Amino acid sequence: MVPNMQKLIDLSKKDTRIVVGLMSGTSVDGIDVVIVKITGNGENTSLDVLAFEEISYPEGFKDFVLKNSRVESADIEEISSLNFLIPQFYADAIAQTASKAGLQLSEIDLIGSHGQTIHHLPNNQKLFGKDVVSTLQIGSGSVLAKLTGIPVVSKFRDGDMALGGQGAPLVPYFDYIMFKHTDTSRALLNIGGISNLTYLKAGCTADEVMAFDCGPGNMLIDSLMKRFYGKEYDEGGKVAYSGKFNAQLSEYLFEIDTYVKQKPPKSTGREYYGEKFINEHILRFAEIPKEDIIHTISKYTAHAVYYNFALMDEGDLYTPTLPLNELFVSGGGAKNPFIMEQLQNHFGNDVKIATTDKLGVDADQKEAVCFAVLANEFISGNSANVPSVTGAKKLTSLGELALP
C-alpha cells in the first residue's frame, strides 16, 4: 500500500485531530489561520482553539486579487499564477502560527482551506446544451499539501453545486452542530464582505435549518471608505456615526437591489455587490456628503439582514413572525458598533444581540474554525451540506482531498 494512503486510513480512525482552518474572504483583508484540537465529529464535535493569527498579505496583493475577480479586468495568466502563489502565503502563515503555538508541522493532522473566491456563479446558464453553475476558489490544495507535508481539504463548494445547490453559505452546518439549543431560538450572523444568516429554531433538526446570504456585509462600506478616505474600513463606525441618513439613497437601493428581495436558496458575492454596483447605483448620488453615504450604506447593511430574516417565513416583510431569542454576530461587522446598534434597533430589545464570543467562539475566528471543522467532517466520512439551505438534491460530503 502507498504510505500516504496508510497514513490517511490511520487519520480517518483518530478520535482527536489537530486541524488548521484557513479563511480569506471576499474582502481579501488577509489570512485567518486557526489551529484547533477537534475531538469527535458531527453533533459530538468539541473544540479547543490552540492558536489564531491574522496574517496580512503583501501591499498591493488585495488590489491584484480584486482586479482578477472582475470580468472586465481579469487576466488568465495572472489567475493561474495566483493559484500557485496563494498556497505559498498560506504555508508561511501556517508555519508562523504553528511556531507561535509551539507546534511542529508534523504534529498537524489536516488543513481545511476555503481558498480565495474570485468568482461565484450559482445561477444556471446554458453552455453547449448543458445547465452550468460554477464557482472558483483559487489557492491550490495540492500545492499547499506539498509545501506543508500535511493533507489538505479544499474546494468545499463544488460538491453541493454539482447536486443543484448554491454551494453557499457553508457555515450553517457548523452553526447547527455547534450552536443549536433545545429551548432557545438562535440566529448566527456573519458580516464579512457579504452578510449571511443562519436560523436555528429551538430544538431544530438538521433539515429545519434556514440560512442564506442576506446581502452586502462590509463589501460596499469598505470599497467606499477606500474610494472616499483612502482607508480600508470604517474603524469603529466613526464615519457612519458622523453622517446623516439619506432617505433618497436608501429607498433607491432597496428598489433596485433585486438580490435582497430574492427568496432563498440564494447566495451572492462580489459579482453582484462589486465595483459595478457602486458605480451604477451609489455614485449617482455623488452630491451627497461622503459621510452620509457611509452612514446610509451601513444602515442598509443592517436593514438587509432584518428584511431577509422576515422574508424567511414569508410573513409580514417588516414584522418577523419566527421566534428569535438570541442573535450572535461574527466577522468584521461585529467590530462596527454602528452596525450592531442598527441591528438592535431593527430586532428590538427582546432579542439579545452579542458576538459569538459569548458562545465560546471568537468572532474573528469563527469562519476559520468552521473550515477546520468541515475538513474534520470530510475525513470522518460525514456529509456537511445542508440541502434545506443550499437547494442541493441530497446530502453529500464537502471538499476535495490533496495528499502531501
Side-chain angles (χ1 to χ4, degrees), residues 364-386:
D364 291 334
Q365 302 174 12
K366 186 186 175 218
E367 284 199 296
V369 171
C370 170
F371 289 102
V373 169
L374 289 179
N376 189 65
E377 292 302 288
F378 177 93
I379 213 71
S380 300
N382 295 337
S383 300
N385 67 329
V386 184

Side-chain angles (χ1 to χ4, degrees), residues 64-379:
F64 190 67
V65 170
L66 295 183
K67 168 188 176 292
N68 282 289
S69 300
R70 296 189 290 267
V71 172
E72 65 273 14
S73 57
D75 182 294
I76 190 64
E77 291 187 3
E78 292 177 352
I79 292 173
S80 182
S81 296
L82 279 168
N83 192 41
F84 275 61
L85 172 62
I86 289 172
Q88 296 185 52
F89 293 144
Y90 287 172
D92 291 345
I94 291 169
Q96 179 179 327
T97 307
S99 177
K100 287 192 175 183
L103 290 170
Q104 300 294 319
L105 290 184
S106 58
E107 296 178 84
I108 297 172
D109 294 304
L110 191 64
I111 297 169
S113 173
H114 176 269
Q116 181 62 57
T117 297
I118 61 168
H119 224 60
H120 183 63
L121 300 171
N123 299 316
N124 272 331
Q125 57 178 318
K126 283 287 185 182
L127 195 61
F128 295 100
K130 299 292 186 182
D131 290 327
V132 178
V133 296
S134 64
T135 190
L136 183 58
Q137 286 74 44
I138 57 175
S140 168
S142 183
V143 173
L144 181 58
K146 302 302 180 186
L147 292 175
T148 59
I150 303 167
V152 175
V153 182
S154 60
K155 296 186 179 298
F156 289 99
R157 301 185 186 277
D158 294 13
D160 183 82
M161 294 183 78
L163 295 172
Q166 294 265 319
L170 293 170
V171 176
Y173 177 84
F174 171 77
D175 288 339
Y176 171 73
I177 65 172
M178 298 305 302
F179 304 130
K180 67 181 183 302
H181 194 279
T182 304
D183 305 313
T184 302
S185 293
R186 289 174 166 171
L188 287 299
L189 172 65
N190 187 78
I191 308 177
I194 298 297
S195 63
N196 55 73
L197 184 74
T198 302
Y199 175 68
L200 307 169
K201 75 175 183 180
C204 71
T205 59
D207 59 4
E208 292 175 313
V209 175
M210 303 169 73
F212 47 80
D213 290 345
C214 301
N218 302 313
M219 185 176 293
L220 296 180
I221 301 168
D222 291 352
S223 294
L224 291 165
M225 287 295 298
K226 182 80 169 180
R227 186 184 293 253
F228 294 159
Y229 299 99
K231 297 181 178 180
E232 295 299 324
Y233 61 97
D234 183 12
E235 185 177 2
K238 293 175 184 176
V239 176
Y241 278 120
S242 72
K244 297 178 181 179
F245 179 68
N246 186 283
Q248 184 184 10
L249 172 58
S250 181
E251 290 167 6
Y252 171 79
L253 286 178
F254 189 69
E255 180 183 347
I256 60 90
D257 191 347
T258 56
Y259 179 80
V260 164
K261 295 183 282 291
Q262 182 182 328
K263 294 180 180 179
K266 62 179 183 176
S267 58
T268 190
R270 191 169 295 280
E271 300 75 32
Y272 186 84
Y273 289 111
E275 292 299 311
K276 184 178 179 181
F277 188 94
I278 290 173
N279 291 334
E280 291 184 1
H281 300 306
I282 298 177
L283 295 185
R284 64 169 53 205
F285 292 87
E287 75 283 357
I288 298 173
K290 296 178 177 64
E291 64 272 20
D292 292 0
I293 293 178
I294 298 297
H295 176 101
T296 303
I297 297 299
S298 299
K299 276 194 169 183
Y300 185 72
T301 296
H303 171 73
V305 172
Y306 181 74
Y307 179 87
N308 271 270
F309 179 71
L311 193 65
M312 276 185 172
D313 62 347
E314 299 184 2
D316 183 334
L317 296 184
Y318 294 96
T319 309
T321 58
L322 290 172
L324 182 65
N325 306 113
E326 300 171 335
L327 173 65
F328 294 100
V329 187
S330 60
K335 295 180 178 179
N336 187 321
F338 182 84
I339 290 178
M340 294 291 279
E341 284 180 14
Q342 296 306 309
L343 289 169
Q344 192 72 73
N345 290 341
H346 277 299
F347 283 93
N349 293 330
D350 289 339
V351 177
K352 174 187 174 183
I353 297 182
T355 68
T356 54
D357 296 55
K358 296 292 185 180
L359 295 173
V361 176
D362 189 295
D364 291 334
Q365 302 174 12
K366 186 186 175 218
E367 284 199 296
V369 171
C370 170
F371 289 102
V373 169
L374 289 179
N376 189 65
E377 292 302 288
F378 177 93
I379 213 71

Side-chain angles (χ1 to χ4, degrees), residues 15-17 36-42 44-48 376:
D15 185 56
T16 298
R17 305 180 182 97
V36 192
K37 181 179 180 181
I38 304 178
T39 300
N41 59 83
N44 297 315
T45 300
S46 62
L47 307 174
D48 181 15
N376 189 65

Side-chain angles (χ1 to χ4, degrees), residues 1-12 149 151 403-404:
M1 181 180 290
V2 178
N4 274 346
M5 292 304 297
Q6 184 58 56
K7 289 181 180 178
L8 183 62
I9 292 170
D10 294 341
L11 177 59
S12 70
L403 296 177

